[in-house]
Amino acid sequence: MSRVRLTDAKVRDLRPKKATRNVRDTVLAGFGVRILPSGGKRFFIHSQHEGRRIWRIVGDPAAMTVAEARDRARGMLASIRAGRPASGEETLFEAVAETAFRRHGRNWKESTLSVNRHYLRNQILPWFRGRQIAEITAQDVRDWFAALHATPVSADRSMPVLSVIMKVAEADGLRPEGSNPCSGIRRYRRQNRDRFLSYAEFGRLGRALREAKPYPSVSIVRLLALTGCRSSEIRTLRWTDYRDGHVHLRDGKTGPRTVWLSSAAREVLDGLSRTSPWVFPSGRAGGPVSESALSHAWSGIRAAAGLKDVRLHDLRHSYASLAVTNGETILTVGRLLGHGDPQTTLKYVHDSEAEAERAAVAMGTVLAERRT
């Protein structure tokens, strides 16, 4: 970290680099300017009080001179030493949270934005509202996370939302770089609800589908098993999305993507009549088959197949597991499922003890041959 006597000319001449950097002032200890990769600059103070590091934004060099910023910083440092409360509404947690949601909300699906707003409003703001964003520590986050132990699902799903807010604070120079207090905090262990169908269970499901009445929901379930798609992606499919032997999703969970279809999946689609813009039209409302109608149909199908503990989403898990078992790579399966992160795909993969045993035997054979 460099140190210079800050002047208006020197601050103006500071150029951005790939990483955020700080330049300290030699006139006033604890005062400096941060240069962001975007080209933005922020005057800051960085001090310690009663064993706690304190980081606050003083102002924007575009709106104040170095002399003005230094005077203001001197007053802020004196307030810290006197134990007076922090000022600056723009750096309160709730203000930065709104900035984060405005910035990232454009990239979130409407349903994701709504869910994240719910966790912000109910799990996060009651704990952090009114706090200076720079003064929230890892211990504060651990205490918050521990307080949510009775609702582990909400806790686990709130943590990424809080982490996004902290990353925005860092990107805007409101927290020291690399200070995300959510890092390294382990999520709650919950009983794994994922269910993977065996070959025999797939056979029973196939028989149940063949024997079921040819309702649209039955064809939806058949396609879910054959493609590994999410139920909403198939349920709301339009005929314009099916062309050249592929399904082209315009608005999947992770954005537009192409679904590569097997001949069996194409056979399902080619056997349907085109009486509506929707591939699976509702008989009443004029839109696609409703989620409740699909859920009702699935209850009957899985009962007939003897799979009463299987959720519709488990067909997606089983599709991924079967693909990996048959030799497909994690990256390939991730592309089939529309995952942007291979770590997400790993959560869907099921390795049975029998598969592990086969792998051990195969590796033993290879290694034995190399010794001879």
Side-chain angles (χ1 to χ4, degrees):
M1 184 182 300
S2 59
R3 293 178 179 271
V4 298
R5 186 182 188 280
L6 292 178
T7 64
D8 293 333
K10 286 181 178 177
V11 170
R12 187 170 52 250
D13 291 341
L14 291 170
R15 295 290 177 260
K17 296 184 178 180
K18 289 184 178 180
T20 299
R21 61 194 180 103
N22 299 327
V23 177
R24 299 272 188 166
D25 185 30
T26 57
V27 175
L28 178 62
F31 171 62
V33 63
R34 163 165 284 194
I35 305 94
L36 305 174
S38 63
K41 298 171 185 177
R42 303 284 190 275
F43 289 123
F44 68 87
I45 58 169
H46 191 196
S47 183
Q48 287 198 1
H49 180 65
E50 296 180 349
R52 296 186 65 181
R53 292 200 315 166
I54 298 175
W55 174 284
R56 294 182 193 162
I57 294 299
V58 176
D60 190 329
M64 58 179 19
T65 65
V66 170
E68 291 170 337
R70 192 180 283 123
D71 285 344
R72 185 176 180 185
R74 190 174 284 111
M76 293 172 69
L77 288 167
S79 294
I80 291 170
R81 288 191 292 270
R84 291 195 291 269
S87 61
E89 292 185 0
E90 72 280 0
T91 59
L92 290 176
F93 176 84
E94 56 268 32
V96 181
E98 281 304 311
T99 299
F101 269 72
R102 283 197 304 272
R103 191 170 301 171
H104 289 273
R106 296 189 295 266
N107 302 321
W108 290 336
K109 291 177 67 67
E110 185 176 346
S111 58
T112 302
L113 177 60
S114 177
V115 169
N116 288 349
R117 278 280 182 194
H118 168 82
Y119 290 125
L120 174 67
R121 182 174 57 253
N122 294 287
Q123 272 72 38
I124 300 174
L125 282 179
W127 191 276
F128 295 107
R129 182 186 282 111
R131 299 282 304 276
Q132 288 289 322
I133 191 76
E135 297 181 6
I136 296 173
T137 66
Q139 186 60 54
D140 293 329
V141 175
R142 283 192 290 269
D143 292 342
W144 162 75
F145 199 58
L148 297 176
H149 70 278
T151 55
V153 174
S154 294
D156 284 351
R157 292 179 179 175
S158 298
M159 180 67 82
V161 178
L162 179 59
S163 183
V164 166
I165 296 169
M166 293 300 176
K167 288 177 182 177
V168 167
E170 283 190 38
D172 288 355
L174 304 179
R175 288 183 62 90
E177 187 177 8
S179 67
N180 190 335
C182 300
S183 300
I185 296 179
R186 298 181 64 179
R187 308 295 171 84
Y188 286 103
R189 289 186 177 182
R190 305 192 305 273
Q191 185 176 1
N192 191 356
R193 294 184 60 202
D194 293 349
R195 172 76 154 78
F196 299 88
L197 275 68
S198 65
Y199 283 105
E201 289 173 328
F202 266 120
R204 297 208 308 267
L205 175 61
R207 286 194 298 273
L209 289 170
R210 288 192 297 272
E211 295 170 0
K213 293 183 179 180
Y215 292 134
S217 292
V218 174
S219 296
I220 292 176
V221 173
R222 185 173 282 113
L223 274 180
L224 292 177
L226 290 170
T227 64
C229 285
R230 301 173 180 89
S231 60
S232 61
E233 293 171 342
I234 297 299
R235 183 176 59 80
T236 61
L237 201 62
R238 297 174 182 265
W239 282 115
T240 52
D241 300 330
Y242 176 49
R243 56 187 184 275
D244 303 324
H246 309 305
V247 165
H248 301 273
L249 297 175
R250 294 167 292 178
D251 191 26
K253 184 176 181 180
T254 56
R257 71 181 181 95
T258 298
V259 179
W260 305 88
L261 301 178
S262 63
S263 59
R266 291 195 298 270
E267 185 178 331
V268 173
L269 288 169
D270 292 339
L272 301 173
S273 57
R274 304 196 178 199
T275 58
S276 166
W278 303 98
V279 176
F280 303 105
S282 170
R284 301 175 183 175
V289 167
S290 68
E291 189 174 351
S292 60
L294 176 59
S295 178
H296 178 75
W298 172 242
S299 295
I301 293 168
R302 69 179 183 179
L307 303 172
K308 292 185 178 182
D309 63 331
V310 176
R311 301 168 301 164
L312 202 55
H313 196 69
D314 291 330
L315 298 182
R316 181 170 166 84
H317 301 164
S318 300
Y319 178 88
S321 176
L322 192 61
V324 172
T325 301
N326 281 275
E328 301 299 339
T329 66
I330 294 296
L331 291 176
T332 299
V333 175
R335 189 177 180 188
L336 288 172
L337 297 179
H339 289 159
D341 184 355
Q343 291 297 320
T344 304
T345 310
L346 288 173
K347 298 176 184 178
Y348 287 78
V349 174
H350 168 61
D351 292 319
S352 68
E353 292 184 0
E355 290 159 0
E357 183 179 358
R358 283 196 297 271
V361 171
M363 289 301 297
T365 302
V366 170
L367 293 172
E369 289 177 352
R370 288 187 177 181
R371 284 202 305 270
T372 59

